Structure formats: C-alpha cells, structure tokens
Amino acid sequence: LSKVTSAAQAYSSVIIIPINTDRFSMDGLELTIDSVISLNKKFGIDPDLKIVVNKFDARQKLGFEILSTISQGQYKDFLCENFIAIAKQIDNCIAAGQNIWNPKYKSLAQENMNKLLLELLGAEDWKSSKTYKTNYTNLPSFSEVTTNV
C-alpha cells in the first residue's frame, strides 16, 4: 500500500473496509487486513476493523457464498451486521447530482445506509432509547422545514 494509505491506517482508530461480493474483493480484503496487521506489529496500534458489504445482490449466488465465507471464517468478528444492497437509486442520485438523503429519492438504499451508520457509530441502542423517542421523533421532516422557509 502507499505511504499515504499506511499513514491513514496507522492513525485511525477504526478502519472500515468496504467489499463488493466478488472474488477480487476477497483478495483485496486479505491484502488490507495483512497490511493492518503489519502496521499493528510495527507501530503497536490496534484499530477496530469493520468489514462493510457493499452492492449486495440477493439474486446472485456468489454474494451469499462470500457472505458465508466471511461470516464463518477468520474475519467474522469484523463483519458488520448491516450491509448495503445493490440499488439503482444510488446511481440515479449520482446522475441527478443529488445525495441519497434527498427525500425525493427515498429508497431501500437510504435505509441500508442509515442502519449501517447507526451500527458503525454504535448508536443503534441510542435510537431505540426513550431519550431518542422523546427528543427526536417529533422533529419536522426535511421537506416540512424547506417548504416553510
């Protein structure tokens, strides 16, 4: 890996490794984890590793095979529970110059990303807490705020 990538990994407390469900991603996953282990030994660092499955397509057998390999193999403790399913909405947002959080493009992709972000931030428990429900569920939506301006 490049010096910039190695430096970023050495100074990170969490390293998120996105993978697609294909064989090339599995090779890249092994190389990335080997690199992190090498940096661990060299600099005495111990970042949290998180593997994020991206563009998962439930129609493809290979995707399930790769998920099974990771979830039952040596990297199972690093695999995020939530994943990002393949979604045309993401491509449509990019083509339209919009972000995926735009209410006009509400989709499964938004829900996948939201769940993944909550997991990565450790906020899943917070969202289901009484504090969240009391303070944040009655907030106006984005469209309500922008139409009342």
Side-chain angles (χ1 to χ4, degrees):
L1 297 173
S2 73
K3 289 181 181 181
V4 173
T5 303
S6 295
Q9 287 179 352
Y11 285 96
S12 297
S13 57
V14 177
I15 297 174
I16 300 171
I17 307 168
I19 64 163
N20 292 341
T21 49
D22 59 45
R23 294 289 173 209
F24 295 117
S25 289
M26 289 299 292
D27 293 342
L29 176 63
E30 290 180 27
L31 291 171
T32 302
I33 291 177
D34 287 347
S35 169
V36 171
I37 290 169
S38 175
L39 287 171
N40 286 1
K41 290 176 183 174
K42 188 172 185 177
F43 297 108
I45 59 170
D46 190 23
D48 287 335
L49 295 178
K50 304 286 184 183
I51 299 170
V52 174
V53 176
N54 188 32
K55 295 185 179 181
F56 177 76
D57 189 345
R59 300 169 295 179
Q60 293 182 339
K61 182 180 176 185
L62 181 60
F64 285 104
E65 289 174 4
I66 289 176
L67 272 178
S68 177
T69 299
I70 296 171
S71 66
Q72 296 174 12
Q74 61 183 342
Y75 306 134
K76 66 182 176 189
D77 295 334
F78 307 134
L79 183 63
C80 288
E81 243 180 76
N82 294 289
F83 58 87
I84 302 168
I86 194 161
K88 206 62 185 155
Q89 294 89 342
I90 294 174
D91 294 334
N92 292 339
C93 288
I94 292 168
Q98 300 289 323
N99 65 58
I100 68 163
W101 305 110
N102 186 330
K104 178 180 173 183
Y105 296 103
K106 188 157 180 68
S107 68
L108 181 60
Q110 286 176 337
E111 190 167 327
N112 288 160
M113 292 289 284
N114 194 36
K115 287 180 180 179
L116 179 63
L117 288 171
L118 288 171
E119 178 182 349
L120 291 170
L121 295 170
E124 292 171 307
D125 294 334
W126 171 78
K127 189 172 181 186
S128 63
S129 72
K130 185 176 180 180
T131 303
Y132 173 82
K133 289 178 182 172
T134 304
N135 296 330
Y136 299 99
T137 53
N138 295 323
L139 292 175
S141 69
F142 176 79
S143 58
E144 291 172 325
V145 171
T146 56
T147 55
N148 293 329
V149 175

